[in-house]
Amino acid sequence: MRIRFGCEMGYEFAYPTPLIARLTSHPDCRGTLVVPDDLRTDADVPLQAFLDPFGNRCARLVAPAGFLTLTVESLMEEDGARDPVVAQANQHAVEELPPETLPFLVASRYCESDLLSDEAWRLFGDTPAGWARVQAVCDWVHDHIAFGYDYSRVDRTATDALAVGRGVCRDYAHLSVAFCRALNIPTRYCTGYLSFIGEPEPHPPGDFAAWIEVYLGGAWHTFDPRNNAPRQGRILVARGRDAADVPLTHTFGPNRLTLFRVWAEEV
């Protein structure tokens, strides 16, 4: 299967403004790039590529005053399989976890697992440890959060999402991350492109998606509490502790978003 994916993001800046972008595929993405997905701009500015502490591909630049458009457009080849389901994957005792997983056990800015510990154990403490427990978390979050683009709020945390019962995909992910970490399951926040390949129409407009990865049975596994079903055409862009670690664009000054277009489709 070949997937054409990419985005256009336009901004207006009042004055030259530093910017970091995470819009290209992650080095661990399971597909193979047929066409490089390097970031392009419509301004003659130098780009510096680097990897952040979580291994995400980033580009930094100084946006000039005025209008600037960031563009990624590429083609990826992958096997077309849906997200794997490994129902037998076991949960590790904390003392047996690899050291590199431990940062994904603790509370972070948007995922207050410490504050949600009692609630997590009340809701899920009697579920079988391992894959079934994570699935129970995703089922509960999927059923208790109402989705709507109008519900988006950049400062909403996991505890906020639980309280108001609504949000967008990042809120589903944050609440699931917080619950899983409270249950001693290392969990990462992920963002990327997600196609509608194999999904019934009508399809909503293209957008970036958020999901989670949990460490079970000696490996990281994908769960998607927003859609709550294995999907095709998932292209990882970045992962971290929560959305604060992986903003798609991080601008160091005021700006206005003037253009937003995202696509991921089979060709």
Side-chain angles (χ1 to χ4, degrees), residues 108-256:
S108 55
R109 176 179 174 183
Y110 290 112
C111 301
E112 313 100 319
S113 51
D114 50 348
L115 302 182
L116 291 173
S117 179
D118 288 346
E119 184 68 358
W121 283 100
R122 184 186 71 81
L123 291 170
F124 310 109
D126 293 332
T127 58
W131 190 278
R133 179 168 288 174
V134 177
Q135 188 59 62
V137 169
C138 291
D139 290 344
W140 192 95
V141 172
H142 179 80
D143 292 342
H144 285 78
I145 301 294
F147 180 85
Y149 289 107
D150 292 341
Y151 300 150
S152 178
R153 206 183 78 192
V154 297
D155 60 347
R156 181 180 291 124
T157 69
T159 56
D160 294 335
L162 179 62
V164 301
R166 63 190 183 195
V168 291
C169 57
R170 65 176 259 162
D171 301 303
Y172 288 74
H174 282 153
L175 184 54
S176 300
V177 168
F179 276 153
C180 287
R181 289 180 187 168
L183 297 165
N184 299 327
I185 303 169
T187 310
R188 307 190 289 209
Y189 175 93
C190 301
T191 187
Y193 300 91
L194 181 59
S195 78
F196 295 104
I197 297 170
E199 299 302 308
E201 296 189 6
H203 298 155
D207 197 357
F208 289 102
W211 60 88
I212 69 174
E213 292 177 346
V214 301
Y215 190 82
L216 298 170
W220 291 97
H221 302 276
T222 296
F223 284 80
D224 185 345
R226 159 68 181 101
N227 297 293
N228 205 29
R231 293 283 292 267
Q232 294 174 279
R234 193 183 299 275
I235 300 175
L236 176 68
V237 168
R239 59 165 71 104
R241 293 167 299 183
D242 60 30
D245 287 332
V246 291
L248 296 167
T249 57
H250 186 164
T251 55
F252 296 85
N255 61 86
R256 183 172 67 91

Side-chain angles (χ1 to χ4, degrees), residues 2-46:
R2 288 192 169 190
I3 301 173
R4 186 179 73 92
F5 71 95
C7 67
E8 285 184 316
M9 299 179 69
Y11 297 88
E12 182 182 13
F13 295 94
Y15 46 80
T17 304
L19 180 153
I20 296 174
R22 294 175 182 83
L23 297 171
T24 53
S25 61
H26 192 279
D28 291 347
C29 190
R30 71 183 184 185
T32 301
L33 288 172
V34 179
V35 177
D37 63 344
D38 297 328
L39 178 71
R40 305 193 310 272
T41 76
D42 60 353
D44 185 18
V45 294

